[in-house]
Amino acid sequence: MLEHGGNLQAAAERYGIPIAKWLDLSTGINPHSYPLANIPAEIWQRLPQETDELNKATAEYYGTRHLLVTAGSQAAIQALPALYPPSVVAIPSVMYAEHAKNWLAHGHKVMPLDSLPEGDLPTEIDILVLCNPNNPTATTLPAPTLLRWHRQLACKGGALIVDEAFMDTTPELSLCSKAELQGIVVLRSLGKFFGLAGARVGFVMAEPKLLDALSEKLGPWAVAGPARYAAQLALQDTTWQAEIRRKLAEDSLRLKQLLAKYGLSPVGSHALFQWVPTEQAISLHEHLAKHGIWVRLFSQWSALRFGLPPANGWEKLESAIAAFRD
Amino acid sequence: MLEHGGNLQAAAERYGIPIAKWLDLSTGINPHSYPLANIPAEIWQRLPQETDELNKATAEYYGTRHLLVTAGSQAAIQALPALYPPSVVAIPSVMYAEHAKNWLAHGHKVMPLDSLPEGDLPTEIDILVLCNPNNPTATTLPAPTLLRWHRQLACKGGALIVDEAFMDTTPELSLCSKAELQGIVVLRSLGKFFGLAGARVGFVMAEPKLLDALSEKLGPWAVAGPARYAAQLALQDTTWQAEIRRKLAEDSLRLKQLLAKYGLSPVGSHALFQWVPTEQAISLHEHLAKHGIWVRLFSQWSALRFGLPPANGWEKLESAIAAFRD
């Protein structure tokens, strides 16, 4: 399997530091996660059911009724390639790697894009898969650009697939409300903004025909009942969402400024992470790990991705970075 | 999708009775489910991780270290057929229907068995899929019989696949400890005995090579973190397990006697359900539904499956059955 952020257990063994002592900045998960009350016993007991409450919460939060709940975005990333005929699938070279892995595994031809075109897409592309905002670079793409590419792909029976795992802090950029159009698929998730990566709840927005095929492929009850219940609570809670958007914007700026202070100015900034290409990526990653701080290293791009520290982690991060500079 | 027990929502709409007012006996799920305390926030926050605690709990409960956690047995039932070359797959005609559906969907030839052979299997069979105990008939098969069939199948590169979803009350019949042998696959689950159907936690026991292939196919993080945590607690709690085995044996006998009292003697009895073929299956199902009692109808076999009532459901069940007889 691919390496991911979050593999703290391996780091703990490698560096001989117990898991509880690490500052884990490797994942891009909101450290101020949605606070969940107790899950009612009946939710654990009965098979997961479609409920009006969750349907209402998702329709209001995502602005569409054309969606399917999946066991995290990962379930959709694994299943989507089987729903298309052999295709030329363009995917940015610097992007969350599970997409390319799964399209390749299903026998599609993957065309890595070192940069996105200014105008039309190359004509040989059938399917374009993007992360917007991009993970790990934090680049965002405006909806008009995406919709122009979508029209080009849809004309030939292709598709635009947008992974919006990091979209919740910039909902105005989302394509969710357009996903009922033929040839647009949007992925969302509770993992990052809501900080509920353990719940394994994702959503696919697409035209009904594709959702039906995906639902049949994924089968019944793939998402745990307690996870669906958590999703309902989190998506309904607009007060928490507004507060946390403000809090994340503050934290993101603070992290950007902290890194810049030590000559590590981010090239890309997201509310939940900073993207820092630097010649010293490998040695800084090693240095931080020895200090019990786990960030994500992209060695092929000589870059680091820093997630947000929790309230008690800022000082540790700054003193470790300062020590590297000394 | 296939119809299943648990589709109470459809029943509620059809009979105009609100969900909360139903006595749901349609599922074979233990009504005295494992009591879960609060799930720690960090379990919701972080990506699900393999933990020593869960590994230890599963190894002790199932008696083997050769296992994989899946999102319920259903995930394994859907994925296993893709791991075998085109095969002749024998499956009893009266059995949980998801197995046959998924082998057929993957292009295998499914041979329905109206009865199991006394001696050797027919030679054209490559793979034999069974539920032991069987759902819905409650028939059990002794390990020596299964192991003889396994040897016959393994010799030709085939496999014996045993769904032990209802095995927890008769662990002495389990093949879990044999599953490291090439060509045996055993499925277990937390849904029935532990009453945690909402958690979506299943286990596949098999030889390491098959588990690796299955793990790669299912991808990372398919099982929610809180569900894994619940599994750890439930599997560790041998005191609860012993108490509930006694309780279920009492309840099962009580249900059997209640049904017999009204001329509905079960043909098969399991700790968690009774199997009642009767000419009046359809009309009794309808009668019970009108009284807000939901049992599982198998119309093609003119039979009903009764799950165990909760403590406050016995009287309602008996008076509704008595009214049918009047």
Side-chain angles (χ1 to χ4, degrees):
Chain A
M1 291 194 190
L2 293 173
E3 200 194 329
H4 291 275
N7 55 347
L8 190 57
Q9 199 140 5
E13 284 161 27
R14 184 166 159 203
Y15 293 94
I17 302 173
I19 285 193
K21 299 221 165 176
W22 284 84
L23 174 60
D24 185 6
L25 309 181
S26 72
T27 66
I29 295 171
N30 179 358
H32 320 292
S33 65
Y34 185 72
L36 283 165
N38 229 337
I39 303 292
E42 67 184 49
I43 300 287
W44 287 101
Q45 286 161 6
R46 68 178 183 216
L47 283 166
Q49 307 228 343
E50 191 170 316
T51 64
D52 292 343
E53 293 87 347
L54 179 55
N55 288 343
K56 188 161 175 286
T58 53
E60 287 182 3
Y61 187 81
Y62 294 115
T64 178
R65 293 197 164 275
H66 298 96
L67 59 77
L68 180 72
V69 188
T70 61
S73 297
Q74 180 66 21
I77 291 171
Q78 290 173 196
L80 280 171
L83 303 184
Y84 293 90
S87 303
V88 174
V89 182
I91 303 182
S93 333
V94 190
M95 199 183 94
Y96 183 59
E98 283 285 336
H99 291 281
K101 178 193 158 177
N102 281 280
W103 289 93
L104 278 171
H106 281 78
H108 297 278
K109 188 180 165 196
V110 169
M111 178 194 292
L113 298 178
D114 287 335
S115 63
L116 289 163
E118 295 287 319
D120 284 349
L121 295 171
T123 53
E124 64 268 41
I125 297 174
D126 302 309
I127 294 173
L128 174 62
V129 183
L130 296 168
C131 291
N132 192 35
N134 191 35
N135 170 16
T137 63
T139 309
T140 57
L141 289 161
T145 302
L146 293 172
L147 291 173
R148 187 176 61 187
W149 290 339
H150 162 252
R151 278 191 299 276
Q152 199 191 332
L153 296 165
C155 281
K156 57 189 282 192
L160 171 71
I161 298 175
V162 188
D163 180 345
E164 295 188 350
F166 285 98
M167 186 57 93
D168 300 71
T169 49
T170 51
E172 68 281 5
L173 295 178
S174 174
L175 285 196
C176 280
S177 65
K178 305 288 183 189
E180 66 198 281
L181 297 174
Q182 194 183 334
I184 295 188
V185 180
V186 180
L187 311 184
R188 296 291 290 262
S189 152
L190 292 194
K192 305 304 190 296
F193 173 69
F194 290 98
L196 298 174
R200 312 312 300 138
V201 178
F203 300 93
V204 181
M205 288 75 171
E207 56 170 326
K209 197 175 133 194
L210 188 127
L211 293 183
D212 288 346
L214 188 59
S215 174
E216 183 66 28
K217 186 162 174 54
L218 296 175
W221 320 308
V223 180
R228 296 173 77 102
Y229 185 78
Q232 178 197 320
L233 298 182
L235 294 174
Q236 281 171 344
D237 195 342
T238 51
T239 307
W240 180 87
Q241 292 158 19
E243 276 169 19
I244 214 69
R245 279 199 187 96
R246 276 195 299 275
K247 171 76 176 142
L248 291 175
E250 285 170 19
D251 281 7
S252 172
L253 183 61
R254 182 176 174 186
L255 179 57
K256 186 178 174 179
Q257 289 172 341
L258 186 160
L259 293 166
K261 181 175 166 188
Y262 295 96
L264 296 165
S265 289
V267 168
S269 288
H270 182 275
L272 288 165
F273 62 84
Q274 304 290 331
W275 172 245
V276 183
T278 161
E279 282 177 10
Q280 297 174 291
I282 291 175
S283 57
L284 178 54
H285 181 261
E286 180 78 11
H287 169 85
L288 292 173
K290 285 179 178 161
H291 285 71
I293 299 171
W294 194 231
V295 300
R296 180 74 196 278
L297 170 66
F298 295 79
S299 52
Q300 70 276 44
W301 315 108
S302 191
L304 298 173
R305 189 187 63 192
F306 289 78
L308 292 180
N312 63 1
W314 292 92
E315 217 167 292
K316 179 170 181 169
L317 177 63
E318 179 155 6
S319 64
I321 293 181
F324 182 70
R325 291 291 145 190
D326 287 344
Chain B
M1 290 195 190
L2 292 174
E3 201 194 328
H4 290 275
N7 55 347
L8 191 57
Q9 198 140 6
E13 284 161 27
R14 183 165 159 204
Y15 292 94
I17 301 173
I19 285 191
K21 298 221 165 176
W22 284 84
L23 174 60
D24 185 6
L25 309 181
S26 71
T27 65
I29 295 171
N30 180 358
H32 321 290
S33 65
Y34 185 73
L36 284 165
N38 229 338
I39 303 292
E42 67 183 50
I43 301 287
W44 286 101
Q45 286 160 6
R46 68 179 184 216
L47 283 167
Q49 306 228 344
E50 192 169 316
T51 64
D52 292 342
E53 293 87 348
L54 178 55
N55 288 342
K56 187 161 176 287
T58 54
E60 287 183 4
Y61 186 81
Y62 295 113
T64 177
R65 293 197 164 275
H66 298 97
L67 59 78
L68 180 71
V69 188
T70 61
S73 297
Q74 180 66 21
I77 291 170
Q78 290 172 198
L80 280 172
L83 303 184
Y84 293 91
S87 303
V88 174
V89 183
I91 304 182
S93 333
V94 190
M95 199 184 95
Y96 183 60
E98 283 285 337
H99 291 282
K101 178 193 158 176
N102 281 280
W103 289 93
L104 278 172
H106 280 79
H108 297 278
K109 189 180 164 196
V110 169
M111 178 194 293
L113 297 178
D114 288 335
S115 64
L116 289 163
E118 294 288 319
D120 284 350
L121 295 171
T123 52
E124 63 267 42
I125 297 173
D126 302 310
I127 295 173
L128 175 62
V129 183
L130 296 168
C131 291
N132 192 34
N134 192 34
N135 170 17
T137 64
T139 309
T140 57
L141 290 162
T145 301
L146 294 172
L147 290 173
R148 188 177 59 186
W149 292 338
H150 162 252
R151 278 192 300 276
Q152 199 190 332
L153 295 164
C155 281
K156 57 190 281 194
L160 171 70
I161 298 176
V162 188
D163 180 347
E164 296 188 349
F166 285 97
M167 186 57 92
D168 301 70
T169 49
T170 51
E172 69 281 5
L173 294 178
S174 174
L175 285 196
C176 281
S177 65
K178 306 288 183 190
E180 66 199 278
L181 297 174
Q182 193 183 335
I184 295 190
V185 180
V186 180
L187 311 184
R188 296 293 290 261
S189 152
L190 292 194
K192 305 306 190 294
F193 173 70
F194 290 97
L196 298 175
R200 313 310 301 137
V201 179
F203 300 93
V204 180
M205 289 75 172
E207 56 171 327
K209 197 176 133 194
L210 188 128
L211 292 182
D212 288 347
L214 188 60
S215 173
E216 184 66 28
K217 184 161 176 54
L218 295 175
W221 320 309
V223 179
R228 296 172 77 102
Y229 184 78
Q232 178 198 320
L233 298 182
L235 293 174
Q236 281 170 343
D237 195 341
T238 51
T239 307
W240 180 87
Q241 292 158 18
E243 276 169 19
I244 214 69
R245 279 199 188 97
R246 276 195 299 276
K247 171 77 177 140
L248 291 175
E250 285 170 20
D251 282 6
S252 172
L253 184 61
R254 181 176 175 186
L255 179 57
K256 186 177 173 179
Q257 290 172 340
L258 186 161
L259 293 166
K261 181 175 166 188
Y262 295 95
L264 297 165
S265 289
V267 168
S269 289
H270 182 275
L272 288 164
F273 62 84
Q274 304 290 333
W275 171 244
V276 184
T278 161
E279 283 178 9
Q280 296 174 293
I282 292 176
S283 56
L284 179 54
H285 181 259
E286 181 78 11
H287 169 85
L288 292 173
K290 285 178 179 164
H291 284 71
I293 299 171
W294 194 230
V295 299
R296 180 74 196 277
L297 170 66
F298 295 79
S299 51
Q300 71 277 42
W301 316 107
S302 192
L304 299 173
R305 189 188 64 192
F306 289 79
L308 292 180
N312 63 1
W314 292 92
E315 217 168 291
K316 180 171 180 167
L317 176 63
E318 179 155 7
S319 63
I321 293 180
F324 182 70
R325 290 291 146 192
D326 288 344

